[in-house]
Amino acid sequence: MIAKVGDCKKLTLVTAADDEEQQQENKILLNQIGDSLFEQGILLSVQFSPTLHDRELKLSNGWVVRMGRGLDYFQSVAGNYFQLGANDLDLRPCLETTIDIFEWE
C-alpha cells in the first residue's frame, strides 16, 4: 500500500522474535521484502526489540501503524495456493488483532 499511495521514502519496522534462530530467519525474509521495496524507491529498516509486544511500522511521511498481533495476523495457506485468499489477502482468513494508524509529527 505504501508503494502505491503517498510519499513514503523510508519504512522502519520495529518487531520482536522468540529466539535468535527465529530472528535470523525473519531477517532473511524481511531482507527480501526490503529488496522489493527498494525497487519502488522505499528504504526498509528493521529493528528487533527484546521487550516489544506490539509491532510498529514508522513511515518517513509521519504515519505510524501499530499491530497488536504482529505481521502474522493472516492465517497461513500452508503451501495450498489453490484456495481462496492465497493471492488475494482480502479473502484470506485472519486472526483477531488490533491495528492503530495515526500521524506522528
Side-chain angles (χ1 to χ4, degrees):
M1 182 172 85
I2 64 168
K4 290 174 120 180
V5 179
D7 58 353
C8 180
K9 298 298 176 201
K10 183 176 181 185
L11 168 65
T12 302
L13 168 65
V14 183
T15 189
D18 292 336
D19 53 43
E20 185 64 31
E21 181 180 344
Q22 184 185 55
Q23 183 171 329
Q24 293 305 316
E25 290 173 5
N26 289 349
K27 282 182 182 180
I28 292 168
L29 297 172
L30 291 168
N31 283 338
Q32 292 176 6
I33 295 171
D35 292 344
S36 182
L37 285 168
F38 187 76
E39 292 175 5
Q40 299 298 317
I42 300 170
L43 179 63
L44 174 64
S45 170
V46 179
Q47 301 170 4
F48 286 88
S49 169
T51 58
L52 182 70
H53 177 267
D54 290 353
R55 300 328 189 245
E56 183 175 88
L57 300 170
K58 296 178 183 176
L59 286 69
S60 61
N61 59 7
W63 288 93
V64 175
V65 179
R66 286 199 183 128
M67 296 160 286
R69 177 168 196 86
L71 298 173
D72 63 348
Y73 66 93
F74 286 113
Q75 290 188 348
S76 171
V77 294
N80 182 1
Y81 295 104
F82 296 103
Q83 68 180 19
L84 290 178
N87 296 304
D88 185 345
L89 297 181
D90 288 336
L91 300 173
R92 184 173 292 184
C94 296
L95 301 169
E96 184 175 349
T97 191
T98 300
I99 299 176
D100 299 313
I101 301 171
F102 55 95
E103 193 167 16
W104 185 270
E105 289 272 300

